[in-house]
Amino acid sequence: MIKKTLNTVTGESHVYLGESFSEIEKYIPLERTIMVVDKEVMKLHGHTFPDVEVITIDAEESKKDLSTVEYVYERMMENEIDRDSFLIGVGGGITCDIAGFAASTYMRGISFALVPTTLLAQVDAAIGGKNGVNFKGYKNMIGNIEQPDLVLIDHSFLQTLPDEEIRTGMAEIIKAAVIGSSALFHQLELNKDEIMSLEPGYVDRVVRDAVDVKMRIVARDEFESGERRKLNFGHTFGHAVEKNYPITHGKAVALGMRISVDMSVERGSLHAEDGRRVKRLIDSYGFSEDVDLSTVFEAIKKDKKRSDDVVKFVLLNAIGSAEIVDIPLSEIEKVCLDDH
Ligand code: GLY
C-alpha cells in the first residue's frame, strides 16, 4: 500500500493506493458512516462490504442530476446523518461525483471518502475535488470543489470490469503520460500486454503514476485558473465527438488526443517523431475510430463554451510536457479537414 497526500486550498486529501476496501475501518470510524454505492457494484461486491447503511443509486449519466442528490439527502436525513458523520462513495465516476457533491453540501459539508471502482475513476474522477451533477442537459453544470478526506484505490475492483471500461481508463492514463510523465509513457510502451491484462505490479504502477500526474497538477492549480486545463488534453475534441457519435469516452478522448498531437506537430511545438510515437501508442491500445472530422469541427464550433473564435487548447511540446495555447478556430478547421 502506498499513501500520497494532496494538499490544496480546500483541504488535504489522503490517497491510499493498493489498499483493500475491507481495511477501510483502519481509516474511518464506521459507526457513524453511510455509503452511497452504485447499484451494479453493490450486486457484484456488496457481500464483501462493511456492515453500514447503504444508499444504492443508478449510476447512469441520465440520472446524474439533482433528483438523485435529493434522494441521497433524504436517505441521509432518515438515517440521522449529521456533521460528525462520514459518507463513503463507492463506484465509478458518476457515483464519485454524486456522493462527493451530496456529502460536501449536506449540512454545509460532512467528511467523505471515495472508493473508485473503475479504472477511469481510480486515475481521474476520484482525484481532484471537483464534484457535480448535470443540469438542464449541460454536463456538470452544478457543482463545487471540495476534496475527499480520503480516496482508497483497491485494484481488485478492476477484475470485474468489462474490457471496454478498462480501455476507457487507459485513454486517461495515456493522457496523463503524454501531458505529465515520460516515465509513465515509457511503461505504457513497454508493458502493454501486462497492463491490459491487469497483471498486478503493472497495472498498480501505471495507476500510481497517472494519479501522481493529476495530484501534482491539482496541487498547483486546484481552481483551474491555468495549469489544470492541461488535464483537458484531447477532451475539447473528445467531448465534441461524444456528443455526435455513439462512441465510448475512451475512444473519443483517444481521437481528440490524436488531433491535438497533429496540431502540436503542425504548429512546430512537438517534434514530428514524438508525434508519431504518441499516435503509435494510442493505436497500440486499440483506439482507432473512423469519425468524420469535418462533423467534429462543426460540433466544436457549436460547443457552448465557444463564445469567440479562439479555443483554449492543450498542445504538447514534448512527451510528458504540455502547454495551453489560444488557437483560432480556422486553424482547428484546417487540421480537421486535412487527411490524417
Ligand atoms: N473529481 C474529479 C476532478 O476533480 O477532476
Side-chain angles (χ1 to χ4, degrees), residues 32 34 36 55 69-87 98-112 144 146:
R32 299 190 63 78
I34 193 157
V36 173
I55 306 169
V69 174
E70 207 175 309
Y71 170 72
V72 173
Y73 291 150
E74 279 164 9
R75 298 288 317 277
M76 289 168 83
M77 286 178 74
E78 273 164 32
N79 284 281
E80 297 177 1
I81 295 299
D82 62 23
R83 286 198 51 81
D84 297 325
S85 305
F86 215 100
L87 183 146
I98 291 170
F101 186 65
S104 58
T105 48
Y106 180 85
M107 296 184 90
R108 299 195 186 87
I110 66 167
S111 301
F112 70 103
N144 61 7
E146 198 65 57

Side-chain angles (χ1 to χ4, degrees), residues 72-230:
V72 173
Y73 291 150
E74 279 164 9
R75 298 288 317 277
M76 289 168 83
M77 286 178 74
E78 273 164 32
N79 284 281
E80 297 177 1
I81 295 299
D82 62 23
R83 286 198 51 81
D84 297 325
S85 305
F86 215 100
L87 183 146
I88 309 174
V90 188
I94 294 173
T95 307
C96 289
D97 253 312
I98 291 170
F101 186 65
S104 58
T105 48
Y106 180 85
M107 296 184 90
R108 299 195 186 87
I110 66 167
S111 301
F112 70 103
L114 297 176
V115 181
T117 57
T118 62
L119 188 57
L120 178 73
Q122 294 192 348
V123 296
D124 191 31
I127 313 285
K130 285 186 186 172
N131 312 294
V133 293
N134 306 332
F135 188 65
K136 307 267 181 215
Y138 291 99
K139 254 178 103 64
N140 300 328
M141 198 64 184
I142 308 291
N144 61 7
I145 295 188
E146 198 65 57
Q147 299 297 332
D149 296 76
L150 185 152
V151 179
L152 187 143
I153 298 181
D154 178 344
H155 301 295
S156 70
F157 285 116
L158 304 180
Q159 301 297 338
T160 50
L161 280 186
D163 285 354
E164 212 39 61
E165 271 289 338
I166 298 292
R167 213 178 293 283
T168 287
M170 284 314 305
E172 293 295 339
I173 292 175
I174 293 172
K175 179 201 79 179
V178 294
I179 64 166
S181 171
S182 55
L184 173 56
F185 189 90
H186 199 55
Q187 278 184 66
L188 294 170
E189 281 185 326
L190 280 182
N191 305 315
K192 188 194 75 149
D193 294 340
E194 293 85 349
I195 293 166
M196 284 307 284
S197 51
L198 303 176
E199 269 189 39
Y202 289 91
V203 75
D204 344 352
R205 218 170 126 203
V206 293
V207 169
R208 185 192 66 203
D209 287 5
V211 164
D212 223 39
V213 169
K214 180 146 189 190
M215 284 175 71
R216 266 190 283 126
I217 292 176
V218 172
R220 290 193 291 255
D221 179 25
E222 187 179 20
F223 293 100
E224 201 166 318
S225 51
E227 191 185 356
R228 192 168 177 167
R229 292 204 182 103
K230 287 182 186 170

Side-chain angles (χ1 to χ4, degrees), residues 241-253:
V241 177
E242 266 176 303
K243 270 191 207 164
N244 290 277
Y245 289 88
I247 66 174
T248 63
H249 178 68
K251 283 182 177 166
V253 168

Side-chain angles (χ1 to χ4, degrees), residues 265-316:
V265 171
E266 205 129 310
R267 290 198 134 223
S269 64
L270 182 69
H271 197 282
E273 179 44 36
D274 283 343
R276 280 192 287 275
R277 208 171 139 203
V278 175
K279 291 209 288 185
R280 262 201 308 275
L281 184 79
I282 295 171
D283 285 348
S284 74
Y285 277 83
F287 293 111
S288 57
E289 189 76 28
D290 278 337
V291 168
D292 175 1
L293 292 185
S294 58
T295 317
V296 174
F297 176 71
E298 286 309 314
I300 288 181
K301 261 205 309 202
K302 272 191 281 170
D303 194 298
K304 67 183 165 62
K305 287 176 194 147
R306 302 287 92 73
S307 53
D308 52 28
D309 63 351
V310 167
V311 180
K312 282 226 172 304
F313 215 82
V314 186
L315 294 182
L316 298 181

